[in-house]
Amino acid sequence: MRARGGAGLCTRLGRGTLKSMSVSLPPDTSQPLFPGRARRPGRARAGSRVTGCREAGQMPAPLSRKIRQKKQQLAESQWQQIPKERPPSSLGPQQSIYFSSPEDHPARLGPEFFDQPAVTLARAFLGQVLVRRLADGTELRGRIVETEAYLGPEDEAAHSRGGRQTPRNRGMFMKPGTLYVYIIYGMYFCLNVSSQGAGACVLLRALEPLEGLDTMRQLRSTLRKSTVSRTLKDRELCSGPSKLCQALAIDKSFDQRDLTQDEAVWLEHGRLETGSPAVVAAARIGIGHAGEWTQKPLRFYVQGSPWVSVVDRVAEQMYQPQQTT
């Protein structure tokens, strides 16, 4: 029989006679004997150490205690081997490990970088690294070597000329660092980034491939419309606005994304090699019916770079190139 405040314990008195005794439980019975095995109060199982009766065939208490200790030590050792969850990183968004490893690559550029006039931003883009992370985690990188500036409503060659706003060009009027992706010839895409000033942006024309060249080559071969099946050379991968979009798998779905926050594409701080050539200012490519704006020197590229889409020898001779920083 069970005494109040204690547990029943059976002892044998003579042949076939059992006598009930009471014994007080330890003060702390709320903790389980082994990790992960909780015991309900007052519901101890038959045959346990507290409520069981030692019949013939049961092992002596000292031996049973040693076995329990062994089991507890084994359970504790297994628990320690389970990898613990790491605490969340306290890094800010500019050094998020989600976007890139601070040990391997520089931090992504923030809003302050893009918040400058189109011409200034077009020059500042040169040498920076554009990063594209694919769905499988593969990261592609290319250094920007050629850009074009579009100044907004006053620019007759801009899609926002005259202050015109449409669903198509809405990204040009959004905050600096917003992507504006449009389609040309019904099949190719061009990547622009909005700058300071409503309707102003910068077109990214060419990249120097840095990382993931084999993937870029595969994407270009898959997406380009040419029937020629030859292998593309490295300098052909991103030497043009539509080419770099193919190489980085950028399409209309990237339109109006925030380059400072997006998980699939961002810009990292880079720099041109020490003693690099100067920046050339030349007329933009493919600009027609734009009057005086056709010849304005709003295209900028790194002189001598083999990754540039079009070299303007006349501009290189006429204008004194400005050294990059």
Side-chain angles (χ1 to χ4, degrees):
M1 135 180 146
R2 193 181 297 270
R4 177 178 296 180
L9 182 64
C10 299
T11 58
R12 184 178 298 277
L13 297 176
R15 190 176 215 176
T17 303
L18 295 175
K19 181 179 179 181
S20 297
M21 300 178 62
S22 64
V23 60
S24 297
L25 291 173
D28 183 11
T29 59
S30 61
Q31 299 298 323
L33 296 177
F34 303 103
R37 295 182 59 186
R39 184 178 63 210
R40 294 182 180 180
R43 293 284 306 271
R45 293 179 298 175
S48 65
R49 177 171 64 93
V50 177
T51 62
C53 299
R54 284 193 56 193
E55 300 288 346
Q58 284 190 314
M59 60 183 63
L63 181 58
S64 177
R65 188 179 303 109
K66 290 182 179 180
I67 293 177
R68 285 195 301 273
Q69 292 175 352
K70 290 288 186 181
K71 288 183 177 180
Q72 186 170 358
Q73 292 174 358
L74 178 60
E76 291 176 352
S77 63
Q78 292 176 345
W79 179 263
Q80 293 174 355
Q81 294 175 2
I82 299 176
K84 302 297 186 298
E85 183 179 356
R86 294 182 178 180
S89 173
S90 59
L91 294 174
Q94 298 307 311
Q95 292 184 330
S96 170
I97 61 174
Y98 183 83
F99 294 105
S100 60
S101 171
E103 295 137 2
D104 298 334
H105 301 287
R108 64 189 293 159
L109 294 174
E112 66 284 349
F113 173 81
F114 302 97
D115 191 13
Q116 49 186 320
V119 172
T120 308
L121 182 61
R123 292 180 178 275
F125 266 129
L126 299 178
Q128 312 304 334
V129 177
L130 183 64
V131 186
R132 169 77 165 94
R133 175 176 289 165
L134 303 179
D136 63 358
T138 301
E139 291 187 357
L140 311 175
R141 282 178 168 79
R143 181 181 289 112
I144 301 172
V145 295
E146 183 181 359
T147 60
E148 286 181 355
Y150 290 84
L151 308 189
E154 63 177 314
D155 190 342
E156 290 296 323
H159 291 172
S160 59
R161 60 186 175 274
R164 179 176 55 183
Q165 296 187 44
T166 66
R168 179 196 183 209
N169 71 357
R170 184 171 181 271
M172 301 180 72
F173 293 87
M174 297 175 69
K175 69 176 184 177
T178 302
L179 298 184
Y180 168 47
V181 181
Y182 62 87
I183 190 170
I184 58 174
Y185 307 122
M187 64 180 71
Y188 300 117
F189 298 97
C190 293
L191 177 63
N192 302 259
V193 183
S194 66
S195 66
Q196 191 179 95
C201 69
V202 175
L203 170 68
L204 304 185
R205 282 200 57 90
L207 305 176
E208 174 190 350
L210 298 177
E211 184 178 330
L213 273 68
D214 290 340
T215 301
M216 292 182 186
R217 188 173 289 106
Q218 182 179 359
L219 288 168
R220 286 273 287 115
S221 299
T222 302
L223 297 174
R224 66 179 177 155
K225 307 301 179 180
S226 174
T227 57
V228 180
S229 58
R230 68 177 180 83
T231 302
L232 291 172
K233 299 178 181 179
D234 291 353
R235 62 182 176 83
E236 298 176 303
L237 294 177
C238 303
S239 57
S242 296
K243 292 179 181 179
L244 72 85
C245 283
Q246 288 183 344
L248 301 183
I250 292 176
D251 55 22
K252 188 64 175 177
S253 67
F254 284 79
D255 186 44
Q256 299 181 24
R257 293 196 187 187
D258 186 351
L259 197 56
T260 67
Q261 296 292 333
D262 198 80
E263 301 172 358
V265 60
W266 64 90
L267 201 68
E268 291 177 349
H269 177 71
R271 63 182 61 184
L272 298 171
E273 296 179 1
T274 304
S276 61
V279 172
V280 177
R284 293 173 291 188
I285 304 296
I287 302 299
H289 309 290
E292 63 178 345
W293 290 90
T294 303
Q295 297 301 322
K296 286 187 178 293
L298 294 174
R299 180 169 69 100
F300 307 97
Y301 66 86
V302 179
Q303 186 177 23
S305 171
W307 319 100
V308 172
S309 63
V310 179
V311 174
D312 191 327
R313 300 297 184 191
V314 175
E316 291 182 3
Q317 295 175 0
M318 290 180 58
Y319 298 98
Q320 182 65 32
Q322 296 185 9
Q323 296 293 328
T324 59
T325 57

